[in-house]
Amino acid sequence: MAMASMMKVVLGSIAFGFFWVLAVFPAVPFLPIGRTAGALLGAMLMVVFRVISPYEANEAIDLDILGLLFGTMVVSVYLERADMFKYLGKLLTWKSRGGKDLLFRVCLVSAISSALFTNDTCCILLTEFILKIARQNNLPPQPFLLALASSSNIGSAATPIGNPQNLVIAVQSKISFEKFLFGILPSMLLGVLVNGAILLCYFWKLLSIERDQEVEAEAGDLVVENEVINSHQSPHASSVNSRDFSFGIDVVTPSSLVNANSLPNSVAKDPPNENWKRFLWKICVYLVTIGMLVALFLGFNMSCTAVTAALALVVLDFKDARPCLEKVSYTLLVFFCGMFIAVHGFNKTGIPSTLWEAVERYSRIDSTGGIALLSVVILLLSNVASNVPTVLLLGSRVAASAASISATEEARAWLILAWVSTVAGNLSLLGSAANLIVCEQARRAQFYSYNLSFWSHLKFGVPSTIIVNAIGLPFIRSY
């Protein structure tokens, strides 16, 4: 694509600059309006500056991606209500054999659940469980929080519904759920194991500290009981809110960490009939979710399947759906709309195409050096511009370059883009929404708070990202 006129290039760059600055630094002093408003501002400026027309802006919004994102968020809300993540938390401690065993369980559970229920959702709902488990077992929280964030990112790479950038890739590439899964699954499993091994090397001494299990457990239970009682006696006790710093979304952490029946003056248990109704409702939620995954695996339209599953859960709930639908992150959907328009306008300037043409001949995926260079470009751009804009900017160009080799290589190029852009999120604390969610949830945890610093994450994130990416790339295949 040739460069546009100088006026369009300048104005388009200014509009995209507003979007990029506010997407990466949402609280800049000169315009602290947040990421969602920043995306809308960038989109609006693209139209006002006549870089694109209003019709082109409307066409840039991909309704398939928005439908798939909305559907998976609604399903996640109902899974939370059905205690799915509470059961996952209990699975972490079932017959646990110490800190090292627990660390690998966190890696596996967070990776698999992120692949099926999105990484951001899993980090929101599992952080406090993991903090509680670490404290009760007299273990340092840091390795387990790092395991949750990094493994969630790695695990989410395996499916089209694992994270937002994979949603974009799946819709644009038209790669089926089955081919996407089997193309990246070997790399994902190997990456989770390698990431866990790196964590063990970093924290071997901390996880090897012996303790008196009975004394520590009793002391931990006493502390928890006192804190719970004090928090409920305080007039200022309330639910903990956190903010997803990737998109400016308000989310509420689950309140199911504390069993109401263990509190003083708690209400009596539900009648048997109500318990049976809730049990049957949970079974229906799990069956609908499994049905959605099976339909995706069989190749049904991903957006329609997710929305259908969401509506099925709304109907089966048989009550006003507003409280559940209010938990959907509509600001995320609005952010995506603005981002689609801003990135489309920047593409129309011709700058991305010109830059890609400069490196395209050296980054073809039919050679080891080409794959290495392409991976470095994706990794750096994902940490500078964020992974979803990177996919929107590079996706079609990388695919077109690979398509000149063969159709199989085109599909493989999409999968490489999905793998590298997702694992790149582990490089720093600011690399992905999942990292920020874990950091903020841990800092604001109701009973067991912990501050995961930028530098403590970076010391682990840099080697982990490079090693996991390098080991996983040779195993990515298209079928």
Side-chain angles (χ1 to χ4, degrees):
M1 179 179 177
M3 289 283 286
S5 65
M6 183 57 66
M7 183 64 70
K8 262 193 176 182
V9 170
V10 172
L11 294 177
S13 299
I14 292 172
F16 187 77
F18 272 100
F19 161 74
W20 181 83
V21 169
L22 292 171
V24 178
F25 309 104
V28 290
F30 69 88
L31 198 62
I33 61 176
R35 288 184 170 90
T36 301
L40 290 178
L41 177 61
M44 182 270 293
L45 290 176
M46 287 292 182
V47 176
V48 170
F49 292 161
R50 296 187 178 182
V51 179
I52 57 175
S53 67
Y55 175 79
E56 288 176 314
N58 183 63
E59 288 295 304
I61 298 173
D62 197 318
L63 294 179
D64 281 338
I65 295 173
L66 295 180
L68 181 56
L69 194 57
F70 172 79
T72 53
M73 284 193 290
V74 173
V75 171
S76 295
V77 169
Y78 280 95
L79 284 171
E80 179 190 352
R81 280 188 54 200
D83 296 330
M84 167 64 76
F85 297 94
K86 180 180 179 181
Y87 299 143
L88 288 175
K90 290 181 178 180
L91 182 63
L92 291 174
T93 56
W94 182 66
K95 294 185 179 180
S96 176
R97 298 182 177 179
K100 302 180 186 69
D101 175 45
L102 182 59
L103 185 72
F104 263 105
R105 289 192 188 200
V106 171
C107 290
L108 291 174
V109 169
S110 57
I112 295 172
S113 57
S114 294
L116 299 177
F117 312 120
T118 76
N119 56 349
D120 292 357
T121 299
C122 292
C123 289
I124 289 170
L125 299 173
L126 289 179
T127 300
E128 287 198 34
F129 283 116
I130 288 172
L131 274 175
K132 179 181 178 182
I133 291 167
R135 293 297 190 188
Q136 286 184 338
N137 289 275
N138 196 33
L139 294 168
Q142 184 182 358
F144 300 99
L145 294 175
L146 289 173
L148 172 62
S150 58
S151 298
S152 293
N153 285 327
I154 296 170
S156 71
T159 64
I161 61 174
N163 55 59
Q165 62 269 19
N166 280 13
L167 297 178
V168 175
I169 290 172
V171 171
Q172 290 190 350
S173 67
K174 295 181 171 57
I175 298 175
S176 69
F177 189 95
E178 176 189 5
K179 291 182 178 179
F180 200 110
L181 173 63
F182 289 125
I184 296 184
L185 184 61
S187 297
M188 185 272 274
L189 294 175
L190 184 60
V192 171
L193 294 176
V194 170
N195 186 64
I198 295 172
L199 283 165
L200 277 180
C201 291
Y202 265 74
F203 300 104
W204 184 270
K205 289 183 179 180
L206 283 175
L207 297 174
S208 300
I209 297 174
E210 297 293 335
R211 66 183 183 86
D212 185 336
Q213 295 186 359
E214 293 183 2
V215 173
E216 292 293 344
E218 290 175 3
D221 291 342
L222 181 60
V223 171
V224 173
E225 183 179 353
N226 289 336
E227 288 178 332
V228 170
I229 293 172
N230 292 335
S231 67
H232 281 266
Q233 289 175 343
S234 171
H236 302 290
S238 61
S239 297
V240 182
N241 290 334
S242 66
R243 178 169 297 275
D244 179 340
F245 286 91
S246 178
F247 304 111
I249 312 161
D250 287 328
V251 290
V252 180
T253 58
S255 58
S256 56
L257 292 176
V258 180
N259 185 350
N261 293 325
S262 67
L263 300 177
N265 303 320
S266 62
V267 296
K269 292 183 178 180
D270 293 333
N273 288 342
E274 292 299 320
N275 289 336
W276 272 106
K277 287 180 181 178
R278 177 160 176 77
F279 175 75
L280 291 175
W281 177 80
K282 285 183 180 182
I283 295 298
C284 289
V285 172
Y286 300 149
L287 289 176
V288 169
T289 304
I290 292 171
M292 180 189 76
L293 296 174
V294 171
L296 292 173
F297 192 82
L298 293 176
F300 285 75
N301 181 278
M302 284 187 276
S303 178
C304 290
T305 298
V307 172
T308 301
L311 292 176
L313 292 175
V314 168
V315 172
L316 286 171
D317 198 27
F318 207 67
K319 61 178 67 172
D320 188 356
R322 183 171 57 183
C324 287
L325 294 179
E326 284 176 349
K327 292 186 178 181
V328 172
S329 300
Y330 295 102
T331 49
L332 172 58
L333 301 178
V334 174
F335 174 87
F336 263 70
C337 292
M339 180 179 61
F340 286 142
I341 297 170
V343 172
H344 179 68
F346 190 57
N347 279 329
K348 295 287 283 187
T349 65
I351 294 175
S353 295
T354 303
L355 294 175
W356 174 248
E357 288 171 4
V359 300
E360 191 267 340
R361 69 181 73 177
Y362 307 108
S363 57
R364 294 169 66 85
I365 66 170
D366 55 352
S367 67
T368 303
I371 294 175
L373 178 59
L374 177 62
S375 299
V376 170
V377 171
I378 297 171
L379 191 150
L380 293 176
L381 196 56
S382 294
N383 277 274
V384 171
S386 188
N387 39 31
V388 180
T390 295
V391 166
L392 290 172
L393 288 169
L394 289 182
S396 59
R397 295 174 176 84
V398 172
S401 175
S404 63
I405 303 171
S406 70
T408 302
E409 290 296 280
E410 179 184 2
R412 182 165 167 251
W414 282 110
L415 296 179
I416 288 174
L417 180 60
W419 171 252
V420 178
S421 64
T422 300
V423 177
N426 285 338
L427 189 71
S428 74
L429 193 60
L430 303 176
S432 77
N435 299 343
L436 291 169
I437 288 170
V438 169
C439 176
E440 190 65 11
Q441 294 283 87
R443 189 175 66 84
R444 297 187 180 186
Q446 192 169 2
F447 303 120
Y448 304 105
S449 62
Y450 180 82
N451 184 31
L452 183 64
S453 69
F454 177 86
W455 293 110
S456 64
H457 185 284
L458 190 70
K459 287 189 292 185
F460 159 76
V462 171
S464 173
T465 301
I466 295 172
I467 294 171
V468 170
N469 250 320
I471 289 178
L473 278 170
F475 294 91
I476 293 178
R477 294 285 184 271
S478 58
Y479 298 93

